[in-house]
Amino acid sequence: MKCEKCGSEIKQLIISVSDAYGSDCSISVDITECEKNAVVFETDKSWTGYDQDGEDANQDIRCPICGKNPFQNDEIQIYNIVRVVKFKKAK
Ligand SMILES: [Zn+2]
């Protein structure tokens, strides 16, 4: 996607996560673009934006180039996903 603040083409976003000791660290996450204007990334409850309301959650999504939230639109949808793991027969 193109960052809507600095115009750079970016393939990742920077978010903050809490580590096992409770301190925050920044990580980059891959993004997937879909539905014409939607950008999706996956994280888990360690994302510091997880329990925040929309404005604070938006502040924890940053462009790797300029450090600002790369979206002008404030809409954000957060889904809990279910990960299914299946196993093939043993060789
Ligand atoms: Zn930017």
Side-chain angles (χ1 to χ4, degrees):
M1 66 168 283
K2 194 177 278 245
C3 172
E4 293 173 347
K5 301 287 166 56
C6 72
S8 302
E9 188 64 33
I10 55 177
K11 292 188 164 59
Q12 281 146 350
L13 296 170
I14 305 295
I15 63 171
S16 298
V17 294
S18 296
D19 67 18
Y21 307 101
S23 13
D24 293 350
C25 57
S26 293
I27 61 167
S28 67
V29 290
D30 291 333
I31 53 176
T32 303
E33 298 193 59
C34 59
E35 294 175 22
K36 282 196 310 199
N37 64 346
V39 174
V40 175
F41 68 87
E42 289 189 3
T43 182
D44 59 29
K45 288 184 175 177
S46 67
W47 176 42
T48 58
Y50 183 82
D51 289 326
Q52 309 296 318
D53 61 21
E55 191 179 326
D56 287 337
N58 270 309
Q59 285 180 4
D60 197 15
I61 299 171
R62 299 183 300 279
C63 167
I65 308 297
C66 68
K68 296 178 181 150
N69 181 321
F71 302 95
Q72 292 189 10
N73 187 335
D74 281 342
E75 182 173 359
I76 184 168
Q77 298 177 356
I78 299 173
Y79 297 92
N80 293 313
I81 63 164
V82 175
R83 172 167 290 140
V84 178
V85 180
K86 284 284 294 165
F87 296 89
K88 300 180 283 186
K89 69 179 178 183
K91 281 183 181 156

mmCIF file of all heavy atoms in Angstrom, residues 31-54:
data_model
loop_
_atom_site.group_PDB
_atom_site.id
_atom_site.type_symbol
_atom_site.label_atom_id
_atom_site.label_comp_id
_atom_site.label_asym_id
_atom_site.label_seq_id
_atom_site.Cartn_x
_atom_site.Cartn_y
_atom_site.Cartn_z
ATOM 1 N N ILE A 31 1.320 -7.042 5.687
ATOM 2 C CA ILE A 31 -0.058 -6.645 5.420
ATOM 3 C C ILE A 31 -0.563 -7.313 4.152
ATOM 4 O O ILE A 31 0.203 -7.636 3.253
ATOM 5 C CB ILE A 31 -0.196 -5.108 5.286
ATOM 6 C CG1 ILE A 31 0.787 -4.533 4.263
ATOM 7 C CG2 ILE A 31 -0.003 -4.447 6.642
ATOM 8 C CD1 ILE A 31 0.619 -3.039 4.038
ATOM 9 N N THR A 32 -1.867 -7.533 4.108
ATOM 10 C CA THR A 32 -2.542 -8.053 2.927
ATOM 11 C C THR A 32 -3.594 -7.035 2.515
ATOM 12 O O THR A 32 -4.339 -6.551 3.353
ATOM 13 C CB THR A 32 -3.244 -9.390 3.251
ATOM 14 O OG1 THR A 32 -2.268 -10.308 3.749
ATOM 15 C CG2 THR A 32 -3.902 -9.980 2.021
ATOM 16 N N GLU A 33 -3.600 -6.692 1.240
ATOM 17 C CA GLU A 33 -4.605 -5.745 0.760
ATOM 18 C C GLU A 33 -5.756 -6.505 0.135
ATOM 19 O O GLU A 33 -5.555 -7.464 -0.602
ATOM 20 C CB GLU A 33 -3.989 -4.789 -0.262
ATOM 21 C CG GLU A 33 -2.868 -3.967 0.347
ATOM 22 C CD GLU A 33 -2.459 -2.799 -0.536
ATOM 23 O OE1 GLU A 33 -3.319 -1.946 -0.830
ATOM 24 O OE2 GLU A 33 -1.291 -2.748 -0.931
ATOM 25 N N CYS A 34 -6.997 -6.100 0.446
ATOM 26 C CA CYS A 34 -8.166 -6.782 -0.102
ATOM 27 C C CYS A 34 -9.340 -5.822 -0.175
ATOM 28 O O CYS A 34 -9.282 -4.711 0.359
ATOM 29 C CB CYS A 34 -8.511 -8.015 0.728
ATOM 30 S SG CYS A 34 -8.862 -7.653 2.449
ATOM 31 N N GLU A 35 -10.387 -6.234 -0.825
ATOM 32 C CA GLU A 35 -11.633 -5.467 -0.943
ATOM 33 C C GLU A 35 -11.384 -4.023 -1.373
ATOM 34 O O GLU A 35 -11.916 -3.085 -0.786
ATOM 35 C CB GLU A 35 -12.405 -5.491 0.388
ATOM 36 C CG GLU A 35 -12.908 -6.874 0.744
ATOM 37 C CD GLU A 35 -13.553 -6.895 2.131
ATOM 38 O OE1 GLU A 35 -13.962 -5.816 2.591
ATOM 39 O OE2 GLU A 35 -13.636 -7.962 2.727
ATOM 40 N N LYS A 36 -10.601 -3.837 -2.403
ATOM 41 C CA LYS A 36 -10.306 -2.523 -2.970
ATOM 42 C C LYS A 36 -9.539 -1.597 -2.034
ATOM 43 O O LYS A 36 -8.483 -1.105 -2.385
ATOM 44 C CB LYS A 36 -11.602 -1.804 -3.430
ATOM 45 C CG LYS A 36 -12.133 -2.308 -4.741
ATOM 46 C CD LYS A 36 -13.137 -1.349 -5.347
ATOM 47 C CE LYS A 36 -14.212 -0.921 -4.363
ATOM 48 N NZ LYS A 36 -15.401 -0.381 -5.027
ATOM 49 N N ASN A 37 -10.067 -1.335 -0.822
ATOM 50 C CA ASN A 37 -9.437 -0.315 0.012
ATOM 51 C C ASN A 37 -9.136 -0.806 1.425
ATOM 52 O O ASN A 37 -8.903 0.002 2.320
ATOM 53 C CB ASN A 37 -10.315 0.936 0.080
ATOM 54 C CG ASN A 37 -11.642 0.651 0.746
ATOM 55 O OD1 ASN A 37 -12.007 -0.508 0.923
ATOM 56 N ND2 ASN A 37 -12.353 1.679 1.126
ATOM 57 N N ALA A 38 -9.170 -2.128 1.648
ATOM 58 C CA ALA A 38 -8.925 -2.648 2.991
ATOM 59 C C ALA A 38 -7.511 -3.210 3.093
ATOM 60 O O ALA A 38 -6.967 -3.733 2.126
ATOM 61 C CB ALA A 38 -9.932 -3.738 3.332
ATOM 62 N N VAL A 39 -6.922 -3.056 4.254
ATOM 63 C CA VAL A 39 -5.602 -3.598 4.549
ATOM 64 C C VAL A 39 -5.721 -4.418 5.828
ATOM 65 O O VAL A 39 -6.254 -3.947 6.823
ATOM 66 C CB VAL A 39 -4.567 -2.470 4.724
ATOM 67 C CG1 VAL A 39 -3.229 -3.021 5.176
ATOM 68 C CG2 VAL A 39 -4.400 -1.697 3.420
ATOM 69 N N VAL A 40 -5.247 -5.667 5.776
ATOM 70 C CA VAL A 40 -5.417 -6.598 6.880
ATOM 71 C C VAL A 40 -4.053 -7.009 7.407
ATOM 72 O O VAL A 40 -3.132 -7.249 6.629
ATOM 73 C CB VAL A 40 -6.185 -7.860 6.408
ATOM 74 C CG1 VAL A 40 -6.269 -8.901 7.517
ATOM 75 C CG2 VAL A 40 -7.574 -7.487 5.903
ATOM 76 N N PHE A 41 -3.911 -7.054 8.741
ATOM 77 C CA PHE A 41 -2.750 -7.708 9.335
ATOM 78 C C PHE A 41 -3.224 -8.530 10.510
ATOM 79 O O PHE A 41 -4.303 -8.299 11.050
ATOM 80 C CB PHE A 41 -1.656 -6.704 9.736
ATOM 81 C CG PHE A 41 -2.014 -5.787 10.880
ATOM 82 C CD1 PHE A 41 -1.809 -6.167 12.195
ATOM 83 C CD2 PHE A 41 -2.558 -4.540 10.631
ATOM 84 C CE1 PHE A 41 -2.131 -5.316 13.250
ATOM 85 C CE2 PHE A 41 -2.876 -3.680 11.677
ATOM 86 C CZ PHE A 41 -2.663 -4.071 12.990
ATOM 87 N N GLU A 42 -2.410 -9.512 10.868
ATOM 88 C CA GLU A 42 -2.776 -10.386 11.977
ATOM 89 C C GLU A 42 -1.861 -10.148 13.160
ATOM 90 O O GLU A 42 -0.661 -9.931 13.016
ATOM 91 C CB GLU A 42 -2.695 -11.860 11.556
ATOM 92 C CG GLU A 42 -3.803 -12.219 10.588
ATOM 93 C CD GLU A 42 -3.891 -13.710 10.327
ATOM 94 O OE1 GLU A 42 -3.112 -14.467 10.948
ATOM 95 O OE2 GLU A 42 -4.712 -14.088 9.497
ATOM 96 N N THR A 43 -2.436 -10.197 14.343
ATOM 97 C CA THR A 43 -1.665 -10.108 15.569
ATOM 98 C C THR A 43 -2.444 -10.877 16.630
ATOM 99 O O THR A 43 -3.358 -11.624 16.302
ATOM 100 C CB THR A 43 -1.419 -8.627 15.957
ATOM 101 O OG1 THR A 43 -0.618 -8.584 17.129
ATOM 102 C CG2 THR A 43 -2.716 -7.892 16.222
ATOM 103 N N ASP A 44 -2.063 -10.722 17.886
ATOM 104 C CA ASP A 44 -2.802 -11.409 18.937
ATOM 105 C C ASP A 44 -3.016 -10.455 20.101
ATOM 106 O O ASP A 44 -2.795 -9.254 19.976
ATOM 107 C CB ASP A 44 -2.086 -12.700 19.361
ATOM 108 C CG ASP A 44 -0.686 -12.436 19.870
ATOM 109 O OD1 ASP A 44 -0.430 -11.347 20.419
ATOM 110 O OD2 ASP A 44 0.175 -13.322 19.716
ATOM 111 N N LYS A 45 -3.421 -10.983 21.242
ATOM 112 C CA LYS A 45 -3.776 -10.104 22.355
ATOM 113 C C LYS A 45 -2.579 -9.371 22.942
ATOM 114 O O LYS A 45 -2.759 -8.470 23.752
ATOM 115 C CB LYS A 45 -4.466 -10.914 23.468
ATOM 116 C CG LYS A 45 -5.869 -11.349 23.084
ATOM 117 C CD LYS A 45 -6.550 -12.062 24.242
ATOM 118 C CE LYS A 45 -7.990 -12.379 23.883
ATOM 119 N NZ LYS A 45 -8.662 -13.137 24.954
ATOM 120 N N SER A 46 -1.363 -9.733 22.535
ATOM 121 C CA SER A 46 -0.206 -9.000 23.039
ATOM 122 C C SER A 46 -0.048 -7.647 22.337
ATOM 123 O O SER A 46 0.741 -6.810 22.765
ATOM 124 C CB SER A 46 1.076 -9.825 22.879
ATOM 125 O OG SER A 46 1.382 -9.994 21.521
ATOM 126 N N TRP A 47 -0.790 -7.411 21.264
ATOM 127 C CA TRP A 47 -0.783 -6.101 20.612
ATOM 128 C C TRP A 47 -1.297 -5.056 21.602
ATOM 129 O O TRP A 47 -2.363 -5.230 22.197
ATOM 130 C CB TRP A 47 -1.669 -6.118 19.359
ATOM 131 C CG TRP A 47 -1.798 -4.787 18.688
ATOM 132 C CD1 TRP A 47 -0.809 -3.883 18.475
ATOM 133 C CD2 TRP A 47 -2.996 -4.223 18.156
ATOM 134 N NE1 TRP A 47 -1.326 -2.770 17.818
ATOM 135 C CE2 TRP A 47 -2.668 -2.957 17.621
ATOM 136 C CE3 TRP A 47 -4.319 -4.671 18.063
ATOM 137 C CZ2 TRP A 47 -3.605 -2.136 17.014
ATOM 138 C CZ3 TRP A 47 -5.250 -3.852 17.452
ATOM 139 C CH2 TRP A 47 -4.892 -2.595 16.931
ATOM 140 N N THR A 48 -0.532 -3.971 21.793
ATOM 141 C CA THR A 48 -0.929 -2.985 22.805
ATOM 142 C C THR A 48 -2.197 -2.246 22.400
ATOM 143 O O THR A 48 -2.840 -1.636 23.241
ATOM 144 C CB THR A 48 0.204 -1.975 23.081
ATOM 145 O OG1 THR A 48 0.553 -1.333 21.860
ATOM 146 C CG2 THR A 48 1.445 -2.679 23.639
ATOM 147 N N GLY A 49 -2.570 -2.282 21.139
ATOM 148 C CA GLY A 49 -3.816 -1.650 20.718
ATOM 149 C C GLY A 49 -5.039 -2.516 20.938
ATOM 150 O O GLY A 49 -6.168 -2.057 20.760
ATOM 151 N N TYR A 50 -4.828 -3.757 21.363
ATOM 152 C CA TYR A 50 -5.932 -4.723 21.400
ATOM 153 C C TYR A 50 -7.095 -4.277 22.277
ATOM 154 O O TYR A 50 -8.251 -4.375 21.895
ATOM 155 C CB TYR A 50 -5.408 -6.087 21.866
ATOM 156 C CG TYR A 50 -6.460 -7.165 21.868
ATOM 157 C CD1 TYR A 50 -6.786 -7.837 20.689
ATOM 158 C CD2 TYR A 50 -7.142 -7.507 23.030
ATOM 159 C CE1 TYR A 50 -7.756 -8.804 20.667
ATOM 160 C CE2 TYR A 50 -8.127 -8.481 23.020
ATOM 161 C CZ TYR A 50 -8.427 -9.129 21.841
ATOM 162 O OH TYR A 50 -9.393 -10.087 21.827
ATOM 163 N N ASP A 51 -6.796 -3.795 23.481
ATOM 164 C CA ASP A 51 -7.851 -3.417 24.419
ATOM 165 C C ASP A 51 -8.221 -1.943 24.344
ATOM 166 O O ASP A 51 -8.990 -1.466 25.153
ATOM 167 C CB ASP A 51 -7.415 -3.741 25.858
ATOM 168 C CG ASP A 51 -7.392 -5.230 26.105
ATOM 169 O OD1 ASP A 51 -8.239 -5.936 25.528
ATOM 170 O OD2 ASP A 51 -6.527 -5.686 26.866
ATOM 171 N N GLN A 52 -7.645 -1.227 23.374
ATOM 172 C CA GLN A 52 -7.876 0.215 23.283
ATOM 173 C C GLN A 52 -9.116 0.503 22.447
ATOM 174 O O GLN A 52 -9.573 -0.331 21.692
ATOM 175 C CB GLN A 52 -6.666 0.887 22.625
ATOM 176 C CG GLN A 52 -5.334 0.524 23.233
ATOM 177 C CD GLN A 52 -5.229 0.982 24.670
ATOM 178 O OE1 GLN A 52 -5.643 2.084 25.001
ATOM 179 N NE2 GLN A 52 -4.699 0.140 25.527
ATOM 180 N N ASP A 53 -9.629 1.727 22.597
ATOM 181 C CA ASP A 53 -10.709 2.125 21.694
ATOM 182 C C ASP A 53 -10.079 2.528 20.355
ATOM 183 O O ASP A 53 -8.856 2.530 20.202
ATOM 184 C CB ASP A 53 -11.586 3.218 22.301
ATOM 185 C CG ASP A 53 -10.797 4.487 22.592
ATOM 186 O OD1 ASP A 53 -9.730 4.669 21.989
ATOM 187 O OD2 ASP A 53 -11.257 5.273 23.428
ATOM 188 N N GLY A 54 -10.932 2.860 19.388
ATOM 189 C CA GLY A 54 -10.462 3.065 18.025
ATOM 190 C C GLY A 54 -9.312 4.049 17.910
ATOM 191 O O GLY A 54 -8.344 3.796 17.211
#
